[in-house]
Amino acid sequence: MSNGMAISSEFPYQSKYINVLGSKIHYVEEGAGQPILFLHGMPATNYTWRNVIPYLAKYGRCIAPDLIGMGLSDKPNIAYRIFDHIQYIEEFINALALKNITLVMHGFGSIIGFDYAMRHEKNIQALVFFESHIRPLNHFDELSLPEQELMAGLRSFDRGFKALAGGVNIIQRLLCMCTMRKLKEDEMQHYLCNCDSALAMKPIEQFLKEYPHEHGPSDVLNLIKEYSQKLEQSRLPKLMFYAVPGFNTTIDTVVWARDHLTNLTLEDLGEDMHFMQETHPHAIGEKILQWLAEKPQVVGGVGPAVV
């Protein structure tokens, strides 16, 4: 339950597809006006936004793609590095000619979104994020305890990946590990649909190999460092949700954000893990809608400070 309201498992949105770099990206769209682009994390799909979209469709044109290789998007035989996802989403934005975007980002999707926003700041209206990667973490003890356990188990990747799966689909395993409530059978099936092949597992495996911490690939850590430095200078309005115990976001990261990011609004969701939109979707939707209606209008990172 969230705000005393039921969490629906329904996904009442019409599927749309657009060709990007020779592959079809699946997305859903609801509402009208300036675009609100939802970028999901791993191991998820655009289904994760089903209970948040109805709130924001009152304000703008909500667009939620499945990342390439995920959900109903095509699964080309590519490396699925974070840089591939960045390229596909940037071309997706170009293909739909999206302007003055509000980005709503979760987890892995925040790396894609923050990088785009800091390279195309004039095309961004606002940033909303949770369980995100807002700064590089260069030391193992900067990770949350659940993250440390996950990464320790994956140091020998092939053996660790199989152990993490525990005999079930890795997506199911990770969702169960990182969600505060037990997902219903039909909810889990939405996440598991169209992911029953080795190629469908490739984005998840690559994500775990590239997980940004001290033992992760240096180019991924450098990517986060570069956009984080720009994020500190950006005056774009920012709304950051957090919860305890969290997963990606520790209290130290919340304090860092408070002390380093301008035009930042912090919103405490209480007790939660990684998939907050599966536990508190109504609170998230209501707060974003209220915040968007009240925030100063800023284009290209220039505007009055938020008090």
Side-chain angles (χ1 to χ4, degrees), residues 54-113:
Y55 291 92
L56 302 187
K58 304 171 186 176
Y59 182 89
R61 177 189 175 195
C62 295
I63 301 166
D66 285 331
L67 296 181
I68 190 68
M70 305 294 294
L72 297 178
S73 287
D74 278 353
K75 296 165 176 57
N77 189 16
I78 60 175
Y80 290 102
R81 297 213 65 201
I82 180 60
F83 304 97
D84 294 317
H85 289 286
I86 285 170
Q87 184 180 16
Y88 274 87
I89 287 299
E90 182 160 352
E91 290 304 317
F92 175 83
I93 290 170
N94 292 340
L96 289 180
L98 304 182
K99 304 295 182 184
N100 298 324
I101 304 165
T102 292
L103 283 172
V104 181
M105 303 167 283
H106 175 237
F108 179 82
S110 71
I111 303 178
I112 303 166

Side-chain angles (χ1 to χ4, degrees), residues 239-253:
L239 173 61
M240 175 179 173
F241 292 98
Y242 69 96
V244 176
F247 190 82
N248 287 354
T249 302
T250 63
I251 291 300
D252 284 346
T253 295

Side-chain angles (χ1 to χ4, degrees), residues 136-299:
L137 299 177
N138 299 311
H139 302 287
F140 195 70
D141 59 6
E142 291 178 312
L143 303 176
S144 69
L145 288 177
E147 278 184 302
Q148 290 181 30
E149 293 173 2
L150 175 63
M151 292 300 102
L154 289 169
R155 279 179 173 166
S156 173
F157 184 80
D158 291 336
R159 184 171 66 250
F161 187 82
K162 292 176 182 177
L164 178 63
V168 300
N169 187 295
I170 189 66
I171 295 176
Q172 183 175 353
R173 180 70 170 169
L174 289 170
L175 285 167
C176 290
M177 285 175 59
C178 298
T179 306
M180 284 289 288
R181 70 178 179 89
K182 181 178 174 59
L183 294 178
K184 292 176 284 189
E185 182 63 27
D186 58 341
E187 291 174 321
M188 188 63 75
Q189 289 307 311
H190 271 284
Y191 283 118
L192 295 176
C193 77
N194 207 26
C195 64
D196 55 355
S197 68
L199 190 56
M201 290 296 99
K202 196 172 180 180
I204 308 300
E205 293 184 23
Q206 188 61 37
F207 156 67
L208 291 170
K209 288 178 181 178
E210 292 189 354
Y211 200 88
H213 64 97
E214 62 178 329
H215 300 297
S218 59
D219 55 356
V220 176
L221 291 174
N222 287 336
L223 172 73
I224 296 173
K225 180 180 178 180
E226 288 175 8
Y227 73 59
S228 182
Q229 290 173 342
K230 295 176 183 177
L231 198 60
E232 288 188 57
Q233 305 303 317
S234 172
R235 297 202 58 79
L236 286 171
K238 306 169 191 71
L239 173 61
M240 175 179 173
F241 292 98
Y242 69 96
V244 176
F247 190 82
N248 287 354
T249 302
T250 63
I251 291 300
D252 284 346
T253 295
V254 175
V255 172
W256 182 91
R258 182 198 66 191
D259 294 343
H260 289 82
L261 301 183
T262 60
N263 282 4
L264 176 69
T265 300
L266 287 169
E267 186 68 23
D268 182 359
L269 288 175
E271 184 182 13
D272 215 333
M273 282 284 287
H274 184 59
F275 288 96
M276 299 177 186
Q277 66 274 57
E278 283 293 357
T279 314
H280 295 97
H282 303 299
I284 290 171
E286 289 172 354
K287 182 60 185 179
I288 297 174
L289 180 61
Q290 177 187 358
W291 180 78
L292 287 174
E294 295 175 351
K295 72 174 178 60
Q297 293 299 308
V298 178
V299 177

